[in-house]
Amino acid sequence: MTEKKRRRQETLVLAVRKEPFLTDEALARKLAVSVQTVRLDRTELGIPELRARVRTLAENAREKVRAIPHAEVVGDLLSLELGIRGTSALKVMDDHLFADSDIARGTALFSQANSLALAIVDAPLAITGVANVKYKTPIYKGDTVIAQAEIVKVRGNKIFVWVKTYRDGQEVFRAKFIVVSLGK
């Protein structure tokens, strides 16, 4: 194997680990190679296609949710470390859009962020007490956004959670929540 190929494959592995929702086309752009080269590298490295990666991540994370029913998490839960952090993905569809527009409503991004903030709380029940949000960039039909939530502080039964949402690595939405744990 050439040094160039070895470096490219290392970069591919790191990119997929960091952003499991990257399509072969996005990976090809990132690596400056053809889509076919990405597919061959993925096959050689045993990295499944996008749908299989997402399905596996979602199945593993869904089982861990405690504070809300997992069916109420908006988007696909990709990772979850209860009491620490979590990640979800949302593909913007017609029901997320303003009427007669291809722009996503802020409520769609808020719902994803809020449900993820609740999902990472390690409690039998939790509710949102306070939310401070910023919708930074318009999101369009067909976009996939990745939300990353992290617990930054716990004070009694109040859990402070920051959620940042990205499209193609650029922050497009962020929220700070105070989540109230209602159980031990």
Side-chain angles (χ1 to χ4, degrees):
M1 176 184 323
T2 67
E3 181 67 17
K4 182 178 176 183
K5 180 177 179 180
R6 186 188 61 74
R7 281 196 311 261
R8 182 183 70 237
Q9 287 186 346
E10 286 175 0
T11 304
L12 174 68
V13 169
L14 292 173
V16 170
R17 228 181 251 149
K18 184 179 177 192
E19 295 182 69
F21 261 88
L22 286 174
T23 63
D24 288 346
E25 291 77 11
L27 287 165
R29 283 190 303 276
K30 187 175 219 125
L31 299 170
V33 296
S34 70
V35 173
Q36 186 60 32
T37 299
V38 168
R39 289 181 180 147
L40 290 170
D41 283 350
R42 266 195 318 93
T43 301
E44 190 174 310
L45 295 166
I47 299 172
E49 65 156 338
L50 175 63
R51 281 189 203 135
R53 289 194 309 265
V54 172
R55 186 173 46 251
T56 300
L57 289 168
E59 288 168 358
N60 292 338
R62 192 177 305 133
E63 297 169 4
K64 299 177 187 175
V65 178
R66 292 187 60 213
I68 62 173
H70 67 76
E72 292 184 17
V73 176
V74 176
D76 295 317
L77 200 53
L78 300 178
S79 68
L80 183 67
E81 295 175 64
L82 278 178
I84 301 170
R85 71 180 58 89
T87 307
S88 73
L90 177 69
K91 178 145 179 133
V92 177
M93 308 298 270
D94 288 334
D95 57 333
H96 301 127
L97 306 176
F98 285 111
D100 301 322
S101 169
D102 281 343
I103 298 175
R105 294 186 315 270
T107 55
L109 299 177
F110 174 83
S111 295
Q112 177 193 22
N114 185 57
S115 66
L116 181 59
L118 292 169
I120 68 172
V121 172
D122 190 6
L125 183 61
I127 60 171
T128 302
V130 176
N132 180 336
V133 301
K134 185 173 185 180
Y135 191 162
K136 299 172 74 174
T137 304
I139 303 301
Y140 299 94
K141 179 179 177 179
D143 286 347
T144 297
V145 291
I146 308 293
Q148 297 175 335
E150 182 177 9
I151 293 176
V152 294
K153 180 170 47 172
V154 177
R155 190 182 310 143
N157 69 335
K158 292 182 174 65
I159 300 131
F160 296 76
V161 182
W162 287 25
V163 181
K164 295 180 180 178
T165 302
Y166 301 88
R167 176 189 57 207
D168 297 328
Q170 178 189 7
E171 185 178 285
V172 295
F173 180 90
R174 70 173 174 224
K176 297 174 187 174
F177 295 98
I178 300 176
V179 174
V180 181
S181 169
L182 300 178
K184 301 259 182 242

